[in-house]
Amino acid sequence: MKKTYKYAILSALVLLLSTQGCKKDFLDINENPNNPEDVDVKFILPAAQADLAYTVGNQLHIVGGLWAQYWTQGTNANQYNDYDRYFYNNTEADRPWGALYRGTLKDLDVLYKKAKAANQRDYMAITRILQAYTLQVITDAWGDVPFSEALQGFEGNTTPKFDSQEEIYDMLIALVDEGIGISDTLLFLDPDYDPSKGPQADDLVFQGDYNGLYNWNKFAYTLKLKIYLRQINVRPSVAANGIAAMPADPFYYLGEGSAGTGDDAFVHYVDEQFRQNPLYTTVVALSPSKNIFASKTAIDYLESINDPRIADFYDPNGDGDFVGIIQGGARDATLYPPPTDDADYSEYNTEQIIAPTVPVRLMTASESMFLQAEAIARGLMAGDAQALYEAAIEDSWLQWVNASSDTSFATYIAQAGVVYASGGSIDDQVKAIITQKWIAMNGNQNFEAWTEFRRTGYPDFFVEPVITDIPGQFPARLAYPSEELTANPNAVSANSGMSITSKLWWDVN
């Protein structure tokens, strides 16, 4: 059952209708509850996916990039000074919160109901999987959030309750299980299933056909594994029992246990107006100032282990060297006395990290294999943790232009600081896995990397910013949005006593 699909270029129609920056009311069907537009599922699915990619690959990507210490604010601009000093105000949360609720989740809710009414089971499966993915992003950003009563505005409930994160995580498993149940039935038990009548180019992630639903099935199993591992420190028995009941064969997960499968959940873009990578549009096309530069934290670590991906994640400075700015130090005139020259420091790679056609990565084969390696290292799943760890690193290498042409992979994974601690403790092995996952996610899955740091405490070499609003601490969550705090008393209650240093439910390390 090997994949034969290729990622198709996004059609002009789909992106013109679904990109966050230009999307109009025709897909926001809850604008007119008395006479809703009868929008086909083939338009609702890409709208939901584009909204999701816009938020994960833009606002959350930026704050994640600074808080995962990949990036820091440049010395001659100030767009992200607040993030750089670990400050996040409530108004910053309005846009991503609104896009995920009023955009992605609302569209997915409508999509599921329409697909169910028409017995379009493949759309139903994909919708449940995407709902779980989106809801996990939301709860991992803010903690307790609405879900059981969310999206009920037209039924009269404009002040939904905030479900606890523990309750939400149980809902995530239920959503994924429903998606898996439907896709398993279609793929393996229904001889009459015709994939040509299901999602095709309107699925921006896997582009339809039989392999498209097959990959959504693997995406779902991988997501379920991630959901359980996120709880490993707070509900170890729930996580252990849940993972024990999952298949151990890598065949069921993205990557299928080997590097180079192309088994990634990407949303792709093209270099045309309204069809470009959303972060490129925000940071580069709409801004004359240079804000995002390499963090010295990341540069120093990559150089210490001779990682060739440094040239894929960052551009060298004007002298051809990789030089990072000390985290949070851009506004320290002692460290960086004015006038400073942007050419003295490394920026993000302008061809592979922030560029018009760079995809938004929702989940990768590399991430999948790191998750499996961790589950095995913890004794929760059968398999070869070291083989999956090394395959995950190799898969990351193959994603990048410079690393994929480097012939030193065997030397790289054998060196101190990278070699798998096969004889070490579980914590030693998990440390290696998460640190390498952090490297693999540099500049391309920033929010997830920051989340994994919160869950595990790895990497363990993060530094306190030179200028910080929370001395001696790291951010643990985003602030609730000001719009929700103004309109919903349940939000005010959930926010009582909270700050960005208040740890989430699963963050007990």
Side-chain angles (χ1 to χ4, degrees):
M1 202 184 300
K2 293 297 180 182
K3 295 162 295 302
T4 58
Y5 74 87
K6 295 181 179 178
Y7 289 112
I9 295 176
L10 301 181
S11 69
L13 175 63
V14 167
L15 278 182
L16 284 173
L17 299 182
S18 64
T19 300
Q20 172 78 14
C22 62
K23 177 182 159 188
K24 298 299 183 182
D25 289 344
F26 90 102
L27 273 178
D28 196 359
I29 65 174
N30 52 357
E31 286 296 310
N32 187 356
N34 298 316
N35 186 27
E37 299 283 349
D38 187 17
V39 181
D40 191 275
V41 293
K42 291 184 180 296
F43 290 100
I44 304 175
L45 176 61
Q49 292 175 332
D51 265 339
L52 176 61
Y54 185 91
T55 306
V56 171
N58 194 354
Q59 295 104 332
L60 298 184
H61 196 55
I62 293 169
V63 68
L66 275 79
W67 291 358
Q69 300 205 2
Y70 298 136
W71 300 337
T72 192
Q73 172 66 56
T75 59
N76 290 313
N78 56 23
Q79 182 69 34
Y80 304 119
N81 277 340
D82 284 351
Y83 297 167
D84 206 31
R85 62 186 176 95
Y86 289 169
F87 176 77
Y88 189 95
N89 65 39
N90 302 100
T91 58
E92 291 287 341
D94 286 339
R95 192 173 183 186
W97 177 283
L100 291 169
Y101 272 106
R102 293 190 295 271
T104 304
L105 284 182
K106 183 59 183 177
D107 283 345
L108 290 174
D109 183 57
V110 173
L111 175 60
Y112 181 82
K113 292 173 181 175
K114 290 179 71 69
K116 185 176 181 180
N119 197 33
Q120 294 173 291
R121 291 177 291 166
D122 33 21
Y123 282 95
M124 291 169 62
I126 293 169
T127 301
R128 283 305 195 222
I129 296 163
L130 278 173
Q131 284 175 322
Y133 180 93
T134 304
L135 184 58
Q136 187 178 30
V137 169
I138 293 171
T139 191
D140 286 350
W142 287 283
D144 295 353
V145 295
F147 185 68
S148 63
E149 293 184 1
L151 313 178
Q152 297 177 1
F154 294 130
E155 287 75 40
N157 185 358
T158 58
T159 58
K161 72 173 184 178
F162 275 53
D163 300 299
S164 72
Q165 199 170 25
E166 182 174 359
E167 292 172 323
I168 291 170
Y169 260 74
D170 289 338
M171 296 177 198
L172 296 180
I173 294 297
L175 288 169
V176 175
D177 279 345
E178 183 179 346
I180 289 173
I182 297 170
S183 59
D184 275 350
T185 299
L186 289 175
L187 290 170
F188 308 120
L189 300 176
D190 188 348
D192 297 323
Y193 173 58
D194 182 359
S196 68
K197 296 181 180 179
Q200 299 293 314
D202 56 307
D203 176 8
L204 304 187
V205 179
F206 290 124
Q207 298 297 310
D209 75 31
Y210 185 88
N211 288 314
L213 186 59
Y214 169 49
N215 279 313
W216 276 114
N217 189 260
K218 294 192 294 180
F219 182 102
Y221 276 109
T222 307
L223 177 60
K224 186 175 180 179
L225 179 59
K226 182 171 78 169
I227 291 167
Y228 277 129
L229 280 174
R230 195 79 92 224
Q231 305 174 71
I232 191 64
N233 295 321
V234 66
R235 291 202 299 188
S237 60
V238 170
N241 293 335
I243 294 171
M246 295 183 66
D249 190 337
F251 168 85
Y252 287 89
Y253 304 89
L254 293 176
E256 298 187 1
S258 61
T261 62
D263 227 4
D264 306 291
F266 289 177
V267 175
H268 288 266
Y269 301 88
V270 295
D271 192 6
E272 296 177 9
Q273 190 177 20
F274 304 128
R275 302 175 66 194
Q276 298 166 328
N277 173 279
L279 184 54
Y280 171 82
T281 300
T282 297
V283 174
V284 180
L286 302 181
S287 175
S289 302
K290 292 185 176 182
N291 285 285
I292 297 176
F293 284 79
S295 169
K296 190 174 186 296
T297 303
I299 292 290
D300 286 356
Y301 189 75
L302 291 170
E303 288 188 328
S304 75
I305 57 173
N306 304 302
D307 197 311
R309 289 171 290 184
I310 192 172
D312 297 300
F313 300 147
Y314 305 104
D315 283 341
N317 70 1
D319 295 325
D321 300 320
F322 292 100
V323 178
I325 295 174
I326 297 173
Q327 197 74 36
R331 288 293 167 269
D332 189 310
T334 302
L335 291 172
Y336 300 102
T340 57
D341 188 345
D342 287 343
D344 289 340
Y345 310 105
S346 295
E347 294 182 70
Y348 51 83
N349 187 294
T350 52
E351 294 182 357
Q352 298 187 76
I353 295 299
I354 303 181
T357 60
V358 167
V360 168
R361 291 164 164 85
L362 301 182
M363 190 179 290
T364 65
S366 176
E367 179 186 358
S368 172
M369 289 184 282
F370 280 126
L371 289 166
Q372 294 168 71
E374 181 182 349
I376 296 167
R378 292 183 182 278
L380 307 177
M381 180 182 282
D384 188 333
Q386 180 172 348
L388 282 161
Y389 168 78
E390 293 176 356
I393 298 172
E394 184 180 8
D395 191 82
S396 173
W397 275 45
L398 294 175
Q399 295 280 334
W400 306 105
V401 173
N402 186 68
S404 62
S405 62
D406 193 288
T407 59
S408 66
F409 181 74
T411 302
Y412 175 82
I413 61 172
Q415 68 178 314
V418 178
V419 65
Y420 187 73
S422 56
S425 66
I426 291 175
D427 192 60
D428 291 336
Q429 294 168 1
V430 171
K431 176 181 177 180
I433 291 165
I434 301 302
T435 301
Q436 277 294 325
K437 184 191 286 189
W438 173 80
I439 295 174
M441 291 180 170
N442 188 316
N444 62 90
Q445 285 183 277
N446 295 351
F447 179 79
E448 182 63 21
W450 172 55
T451 299
E452 285 291 76
F453 167 72
R454 290 180 287 159
R455 174 176 73 93
T456 65
Y458 296 123
D460 60 2
F461 47 77
F462 281 9
V463 300
E464 181 177 320
V466 174
I467 300 174
T468 176
D469 276 28
I470 51 172
Q473 301 181 78
F474 293 103
R477 67 169 68 220
L478 302 187
Y480 285 122
S482 59
E483 291 180 355
E484 190 74 12
L485 290 170
T486 300
N488 188 352
N490 290 317
V492 176
S493 177
N495 188 58
S496 178
M498 292 293 179
S499 71
I500 68 166
T501 62
S502 302
K503 290 188 174 184
L504 299 186
W505 163 73
W506 43 253
D507 184 0
V508 296
N509 67 76

